[in-house]
Amino acid sequence: PLIDLRDAENGGKPVDVEVSVLTTGYWPSQNVAPCTLPPPVKAAMDRFQKYYLTTYTGRKLSWQTSTGSAEIRATFPPIKGSSKVRRHDLSVTTYQMCILVLFNNRDVLTLAQIRNETNIPEDELRRHLVSLCTPKHRILRKGSKGKGISNDDDTFTYNAEYTSKMTRVKVPMVSMRDATLTSSAEGTASAAGAASSSAAASASRSGLVDGSATVPVQVEEDRRHLLEAAIVRIMKARKTLNHNDLVAEVTRQLSGRFVPPPQFVKKRVESLIEREYLERDESDRRVYKYMA
């Protein structure tokens, strides 16, 4: 086969690509324009498309880059006291791959630069960037403080100090709500608190928030947001609180709407810690602190 110069960015080796070809009846078009892919990946896709259209005449391929995934071999410098280069296989979405590959040649990029070079839809771009900046998977460092992305000039820096005990790391996605949240969950809390509970109480008391099939998915999602908003509101007022007191206070405040099991409260607390709304006390891990 002819040499494709685009493979040079991948060490001269062709990118392995797996393609799921489905008709629109099985995979309805989402009307999302393909993002701008790294040259070696685009070269691999072009080779597949040429083969496919040559084998099956009269057909057309529409790439759905918004639903893809990728495996990236990431190399990080040695940690202090060691001379061994660290390598991790990152399991990411196609959008995250497009973002991370940009940092092969630059250490710092702004939101505007990443948007212009990837053409990822705005909300998805912010969501995927925030997912790469979480405390547990901080592959990139965000320049601005807080959980959200401030503006087009907000910077993202390659984190050479990233560490993980695992060789293969799956980078989870934050929810769209978390990615677009700017002033934190207390705005949701105030809105939820102002709502009338008389009509909602009879409907929400019918089941516990335990993930069971008896609770509709949308109701489960709404309760999750209400619970997180209540936790943030309480912690913002108290600043520091131990786990049992937080569970008791959350249950008291939400009892008119639903009864959250302690295990569900614990899961939401863990999620808020990961998203940097709360942190654990260094001397007592059952004590939480509010992060301004």
Short mmCIF file of all heavy atoms in Angstrom, two decimals, residues 187-219:
data_model
loop_
_atom_site.label_atom_id
_atom_site.label_comp_id
_atom_site.label_asym_id
_atom_site.label_seq_id
_atom_site.Cartn_x
_atom_site.Cartn_y
_atom_site.Cartn_z
N GLY A 187 -27.74 26.89 43.29
CA GLY A 187 -28.78 27.51 42.49
C GLY A 187 -29.93 26.54 42.30
O GLY A 187 -31.10 26.91 42.40
N THR A 188 -29.62 25.30 42.05
CA THR A 188 -30.63 24.26 41.93
C THR A 188 -31.35 24.06 43.25
O THR A 188 -32.55 23.84 43.30
CB THR A 188 -30.00 22.94 41.48
OG1 THR A 188 -29.24 23.17 40.29
CG2 THR A 188 -31.04 21.88 41.24
N ALA A 189 -30.58 24.16 44.33
CA ALA A 189 -31.17 23.94 45.64
C ALA A 189 -32.22 24.99 45.95
O ALA A 189 -33.30 24.69 46.44
CB ALA A 189 -30.07 23.97 46.71
N SER A 190 -31.91 26.26 45.66
CA SER A 190 -32.86 27.31 45.98
C SER A 190 -34.12 27.17 45.14
O SER A 190 -35.22 27.40 45.61
CB SER A 190 -32.22 28.68 45.75
OG SER A 190 -31.83 28.82 44.41
N ALA A 191 -33.92 26.81 43.87
CA ALA A 191 -35.08 26.64 43.00
C ALA A 191 -35.94 25.49 43.47
O ALA A 191 -37.17 25.57 43.49
CB ALA A 191 -34.63 26.41 41.56
N ALA A 192 -35.28 24.39 43.87
CA ALA A 192 -36.02 23.23 44.32
C ALA A 192 -36.73 23.50 45.64
O ALA A 192 -37.84 23.07 45.88
CB ALA A 192 -35.08 22.04 44.48
N GLY A 193 -36.06 24.29 46.50
CA GLY A 193 -36.65 24.58 47.80
C GLY A 193 -37.87 25.48 47.68
O GLY A 193 -38.77 25.44 48.52
N ALA A 194 -37.88 26.32 46.63
CA ALA A 194 -39.00 27.23 46.46
C ALA A 194 -40.22 26.54 45.87
O ALA A 194 -41.33 27.06 45.91
CB ALA A 194 -38.59 28.39 45.56
N ALA A 195 -40.03 25.38 45.30
CA ALA A 195 -41.14 24.67 44.67
C ALA A 195 -42.10 24.14 45.73
O ALA A 195 -41.72 23.79 46.83
CB ALA A 195 -40.62 23.52 43.83
N SER A 196 -43.36 24.09 45.37
CA SER A 196 -44.35 23.57 46.29
C SER A 196 -44.17 22.07 46.45
O SER A 196 -44.01 21.35 45.48
CB SER A 196 -45.75 23.87 45.75
OG SER A 196 -46.73 23.20 46.51
N SER A 197 -44.19 21.60 47.70
CA SER A 197 -43.97 20.17 47.94
C SER A 197 -45.28 19.42 48.12
O SER A 197 -45.29 18.21 48.20
CB SER A 197 -43.10 19.99 49.19
OG SER A 197 -43.78 20.51 50.32
N SER A 198 -46.39 20.13 48.17
CA SER A 198 -47.65 19.46 48.46
C SER A 198 -48.04 18.48 47.36
O SER A 198 -48.48 17.37 47.62
CB SER A 198 -48.77 20.50 48.64
OG SER A 198 -48.88 21.30 47.47
N ALA A 199 -47.85 18.90 46.09
CA ALA A 199 -48.23 18.03 44.99
C ALA A 199 -47.18 16.96 44.75
O ALA A 199 -47.51 15.84 44.37
CB ALA A 199 -48.42 18.87 43.71
N ALA A 200 -45.92 17.33 44.97
CA ALA A 200 -44.85 16.38 44.67
C ALA A 200 -44.73 15.31 45.74
O ALA A 200 -44.27 14.21 45.46
CB ALA A 200 -43.51 17.12 44.55
N ALA A 201 -45.14 15.62 46.96
CA ALA A 201 -44.93 14.68 48.06
C ALA A 201 -45.64 13.36 47.84
O ALA A 201 -45.07 12.30 48.04
CB ALA A 201 -45.40 15.32 49.36
N SER A 202 -46.89 13.41 47.40
CA SER A 202 -47.65 12.18 47.24
C SER A 202 -47.04 11.29 46.17
O SER A 202 -47.06 10.07 46.28
CB SER A 202 -49.10 12.51 46.88
OG SER A 202 -49.15 13.23 45.66
N ALA A 203 -46.47 11.92 45.14
CA ALA A 203 -45.88 11.12 44.07
C ALA A 203 -44.53 10.55 44.47
O ALA A 203 -44.21 9.42 44.16
CB ALA A 203 -45.72 11.98 42.81
N SER A 204 -43.71 11.36 45.19
CA SER A 204 -42.36 10.92 45.49
C SER A 204 -42.27 9.98 46.67
O SER A 204 -41.30 9.27 46.83
CB SER A 204 -41.47 12.15 45.74
OG SER A 204 -41.95 12.88 46.84
N ARG A 205 -43.26 9.96 47.53
CA ARG A 205 -43.21 9.07 48.68
C ARG A 205 -43.47 7.61 48.32
O ARG A 205 -43.33 6.73 49.14
CB ARG A 205 -44.25 9.52 49.72
CG ARG A 205 -43.82 10.76 50.52
CD ARG A 205 -44.92 11.18 51.46
NE ARG A 205 -44.57 12.40 52.15
CZ ARG A 205 -45.45 13.29 52.58
NH1 ARG A 205 -46.74 13.11 52.35
NH2 ARG A 205 -45.06 14.36 53.23
N SER A 206 -43.86 7.38 47.08
CA SER A 206 -44.25 6.03 46.70
C SER A 206 -43.07 5.07 46.64
O SER A 206 -43.25 3.87 46.65
CB SER A 206 -44.94 6.06 45.33
OG SER A 206 -44.05 6.57 44.36
N GLY A 207 -41.84 5.58 46.56
CA GLY A 207 -40.70 4.68 46.48
C GLY A 207 -39.44 5.32 47.01
O GLY A 207 -39.35 6.52 47.16
N LEU A 208 -38.46 4.51 47.36
CA LEU A 208 -37.18 5.00 47.83
C LEU A 208 -36.23 5.19 46.66
O LEU A 208 -36.41 4.58 45.61
CB LEU A 208 -36.57 4.02 48.84
CG LEU A 208 -37.35 3.80 50.13
CD1 LEU A 208 -36.62 2.76 50.99
CD2 LEU A 208 -37.50 5.10 50.92
N VAL A 209 -35.23 6.04 46.88
CA VAL A 209 -34.24 6.24 45.85
C VAL A 209 -33.20 5.14 45.98
O VAL A 209 -32.17 5.29 46.61
CB VAL A 209 -33.57 7.63 46.00
CG1 VAL A 209 -32.61 7.87 44.86
CG2 VAL A 209 -34.62 8.71 46.02
N ASP A 210 -33.46 4.01 45.40
CA ASP A 210 -32.56 2.87 45.55
C ASP A 210 -32.19 2.26 44.21
O ASP A 210 -31.60 1.20 44.14
CB ASP A 210 -33.19 1.80 46.44
CG ASP A 210 -34.54 1.34 45.90
OD1 ASP A 210 -34.95 1.80 44.84
OD2 ASP A 210 -35.17 0.50 46.56
N GLY A 211 -32.55 2.97 43.12
CA GLY A 211 -32.21 2.46 41.79
C GLY A 211 -33.09 1.33 41.33
O GLY A 211 -32.80 0.70 40.32
N SER A 212 -34.15 1.00 42.04
CA SER A 212 -35.00 -0.12 41.65
C SER A 212 -35.86 0.26 40.45
O SER A 212 -36.08 1.42 40.15
CB SER A 212 -35.91 -0.52 42.82
OG SER A 212 -36.82 0.51 43.12
N ALA A 213 -36.36 -0.76 39.80
CA ALA A 213 -37.15 -0.54 38.59
C ALA A 213 -38.49 0.11 38.89
O ALA A 213 -39.17 0.58 37.98
CB ALA A 213 -37.35 -1.87 37.86
N THR A 214 -38.89 0.15 40.16
CA THR A 214 -40.19 0.73 40.50
C THR A 214 -40.15 2.25 40.42
O THR A 214 -41.18 2.89 40.41
CB THR A 214 -40.61 0.31 41.92
OG1 THR A 214 -39.60 0.73 42.85
CG2 THR A 214 -40.77 -1.20 42.00
N VAL A 215 -38.97 2.84 40.39
CA VAL A 215 -38.84 4.28 40.29
C VAL A 215 -38.44 4.64 38.86
O VAL A 215 -37.41 4.18 38.38
CB VAL A 215 -37.77 4.82 41.28
CG1 VAL A 215 -37.64 6.33 41.15
CG2 VAL A 215 -38.13 4.43 42.70
N PRO A 216 -39.24 5.44 38.15
CA PRO A 216 -38.90 5.82 36.78
C PRO A 216 -37.53 6.49 36.72
O PRO A 216 -37.11 7.17 37.66
CB PRO A 216 -40.02 6.81 36.40
CG PRO A 216 -41.16 6.44 37.31
CD PRO A 216 -40.52 6.00 38.59
N VAL A 217 -36.86 6.31 35.60
CA VAL A 217 -35.51 6.86 35.44
C VAL A 217 -35.49 8.37 35.64
O VAL A 217 -34.60 8.91 36.31
CB VAL A 217 -34.95 6.50 34.05
CG1 VAL A 217 -33.61 7.17 33.82
CG2 VAL A 217 -34.81 4.99 33.91
N GLN A 218 -36.47 9.07 35.07
CA GLN A 218 -36.48 10.53 35.19
C GLN A 218 -36.68 10.97 36.63
O GLN A 218 -36.07 11.94 37.08
CB GLN A 218 -37.60 11.12 34.31
CG GLN A 218 -37.59 12.64 34.25
CD GLN A 218 -36.26 13.19 33.76
OE1 GLN A 218 -35.77 12.80 32.71
NE2 GLN A 218 -35.66 14.09 34.52
N VAL A 219 -37.54 10.24 37.37
CA VAL A 219 -37.74 10.57 38.79
C VAL A 219 -36.45 10.34 39.56
O VAL A 219 -36.06 11.14 40.41
CB VAL A 219 -38.88 9.69 39.38
CG1 VAL A 219 -38.98 9.90 40.89
CG2 VAL A 219 -40.21 10.03 38.72
#
